[in-house]
Amino acid sequence: MKKVKFTFPTDLIKEPLIYLLSQKFKLITNIRRADVRPDVGWVVLEIEGTDEEIELGLDWIGSQGVRVDPVGGDIIEG
Amino acid sequence: MANVVCLRCRECKREFPVEPGNVCDFCFGPLEVVYDYSAIKKIISREKIEAGPFNLWRYQDLLPVDAANAIDINAGFTPLIRSKGLAEYLGLKELYIKNDSVNPSYSFKDRVVAVASTKAIEFGFDTLACASTGNLACSVAAHAARAGVKSFVFIPHDLEKEKVVGAAVYGPTLIAVRGSYDDVNRVCSEVADQHHWAFVNINMRPFYSEGSKTLGYEVVEQLGWRIPDHAVVPAASGSLFVKIWKGLHELNQLDLAGDVKTKMHLVQAEGCSPIVQAYQSGVTHVKPTKPNTVAKSLGIGNPADGFYSLQVMKNSKGSAVSAPEDEIAEGMKLLAQTEGIFTETAGGVVISGLRKLVRDGRIKPDDCTVVYITGNGYKTHQVVEDVVNPIEIAPSIDAFEEALATRVGV
Ligand SMILES: Cc1ncc(COP(=O)(O)O)c(C=O)c1O
Ligand SMILES: [Zn+2]
């Protein structure tokens, strides 16, 4: 189980990437909060699956151009 | 402590018991401490605060911990200085500098870590942890030493030696993560999930961030319980910015200060300015960026409080400005040479931002303005190393007099 935030650039907003994520990998996605605008969109979701499958899935969606962050923003502080 | 009611989700408003954790189970929104202000109102007064210790615990009634067992290295109650040289240079009549660079571990992070570490010990944790580019690392390691508990401090592997030493000296376990900035973030979020440690800015975050409110209280008290017209604040996650505003409102709500008319101005370095960019393009959400700035302490590309910072700007009629990278060192030198205060890059960012706000007419000459200097220059001295240009002479008075005439022109 992992909580993540996806940020979609403008050109990917119309792509069904979260659907594809759960099709290509053995993962269950559960969207908790989202805000999608014409220029940018973000989705906060929970992903269920094995650790390896989650890692593969996140690597894949990252390679599609989606930014993957921990929920709650960057952790490293000044 | 008795004054805390619960934690509440800032998004869906669901309430949770006071426990470690930073996001709502339901919507994953951030959690915030909720106080019983009517109970606080009965026990708080200006006189009581003024009679308190000369550190942030003078505001203990407004902090979510039991101050009797505080992990106390004497954070807070730092000087508020009426500016002369810088004010004159900028044409301002009433400029104040909140010099928070003189905290025990030399940054404002001692305020947040004082609260987070006290709460962590209260919860029964035996290990403090954080991921940091320097300031937070120093403060967490120092507080852990004081508390007599272990600490794990995660840093990027290429962090400057000066900063690493400032944390390592307190005896934490230092973990240098080989990888990009994003890698460090990812690893630490996983570590936080796996280990039962108090990560001050993750599972302690609701308590941690409350420490920043004291930078609002203190300035008002030091101004003689007056609310300033402007606050100029550096931002990374935006938490400090949001909490200063919250602090001002709490004072007003408790009848300790008048109406909050403060315009809140947020400053970031150009090389990492996601909040400023959102402000400038008039959107309500922040687009994450990759930090690339000399002001490493402000290098957060995906700020947790970006959205709330934009709200504060809107509600306070404030603004956001960015400091060009090449003006940051200049800002550090300007503050040092006009006021005798040596700040780190974050302070250089603030001074550059202040200059822009004055130039653009957002801050008027008669306004009461407070700038927040949050970190110490000794942590980033390599940025201003070019000031070192001594006049070398032979050991004789003649050589000195000659140098005086030819090189100094006296
Ligand atoms: C010196 C200094 N000033 C300001 C900040 C900004 O803090 P925040 O993340 O609350 O915006 C930080 C750390 O992140 C810092 O180290
Ligand atoms: Zn919620």
Side-chain angles (χ1 to χ4, degrees), chain B residues 34-247:
Chain B
V34 178
Y35 299 87
D36 179 351
Y37 290 112
S38 58
I40 296 174
K41 204 167 187 166
K42 292 196 190 106
I43 55 167
I44 207 166
S45 67
R46 289 181 181 180
E47 294 71 28
K48 183 179 172 196
I49 292 170
E50 285 165 357
F54 291 106
N55 55 42
L56 89 171
W57 301 112
R58 65 204 277 110
Y59 307 107
Q60 57 181 267
D61 292 333
L62 290 160
L63 295 172
V65 295
D66 178 6
N69 300 313
I71 309 306
D72 183 12
I73 62 170
N74 212 19
F77 218 66
T78 53
L80 180 76
I81 293 152
R82 174 96 190 235
S83 165
K84 278 178 149 168
L86 183 62
E88 209 173 282
Y89 174 86
L90 294 170
L92 296 179
K93 298 207 180 83
E94 200 182 0
L95 174 66
Y96 295 88
I97 299 161
K98 180 59 174 168
N99 184 9
D100 224 35
S101 74
V102 294
N103 268 300
S105 83
Y106 303 102
S107 81
F108 94 97
K109 294 286 177 185
D110 285 333
R111 296 175 185 273
V112 282
V113 177
V115 177
S117 60
T118 299
K119 197 71 197 174
I121 303 303
E122 227 173 76
F123 282 139
F125 285 100
D126 63 4
T127 305
L128 300 182
C130 71
S132 167
T133 60
N135 288 324
L136 187 61
C138 295
S139 190
V140 165
H143 281 85
R146 174 76 184 177
V149 299
K150 294 188 289 285
S151 60
F152 280 82
V153 167
F154 294 78
I155 53 171
H157 71 113
D158 54 357
L159 194 57
E160 302 93 324
K161 197 56 165 258
E162 294 85 346
K163 290 193 185 161
V164 184
V165 173
V169 72
Y170 302 108
T173 303
L174 271 184
I175 312 286
V177 180
R178 240 181 287 116
S180 72
Y181 195 86
D182 288 340
D183 294 329
V184 185
N185 265 314
R186 188 175 44 73
V187 169
C188 284
S189 79
E190 282 169 23
V191 174
D193 283 343
Q194 293 295 323
H195 292 269
H196 187 68
W197 296 340
F199 264 88
V200 294
N201 58 338
I202 307 178
N203 54 347
M204 291 292 122
R205 192 169 180 87
F207 313 99
Y208 166 91
S209 57
E210 289 291 283
S212 288
K213 295 190 305 185
T214 60
L215 263 175
Y217 308 149
E218 258 175 49
V219 159
V220 172
E221 183 184 350
Q222 288 170 318
L223 286 172
W225 300 102
R226 199 153 59 99
I227 302 263
D229 297 320
H230 301 274
V232 183
V233 183
S237 71
S239 172
L240 169 64
F241 183 76
V242 170
K243 293 293 178 171
I244 287 174
W245 176 246
K246 179 177 178 184

Side-chain angles (χ1 to χ4, degrees), chain A residues 1-10 30-42 44-47 51 54-55 58-59 67-78, chain B residues 11 23 25-30 109 131-137 156 181-182 184-185 188-190 193 201-202 205 208 237 283-285 287-290 296-297 300-304:
Chain A
M1 206 273 279
K2 204 164 163 53
K3 301 178 188 122
V4 286
K5 180 180 180 186
F6 292 161
T7 307
F8 298 89
T10 312
N30 182 358
I31 295 177
R32 299 303 183 91
R33 222 152 26 92
D35 187 3
V36 181
R37 311 283 174 109
D39 58 329
V40 65
W42 59 258
V44 164
L45 70 171
E46 186 175 50
I47 302 178
D51 287 353
I54 290 176
E55 194 168 338
L58 293 182
D59 281 351
R67 185 177 159 128
V68 181
D69 285 295
V71 163
D74 286 353
I75 284 160
I76 186 160
E77 290 231 350
Chain B
E11 294 300 325
V23 294
D25 277 347
F26 186 79
C27 77
F28 296 171
K109 294 286 177 185
S132 167
T133 60
N135 288 324
L136 187 61
Y181 195 86
D182 288 340
V184 185
N185 265 314
C188 284
S189 79
E190 282 169 23
D193 283 343
N201 58 338
I202 307 178
R205 192 169 180 87
Y208 166 91
S237 71
V283 296
T284 56
H285 51 275
K287 232 188 240 180
T289 54
K290 275 210 191 316
K296 293 214 168 71
S297 59
I300 287 188
N302 180 32

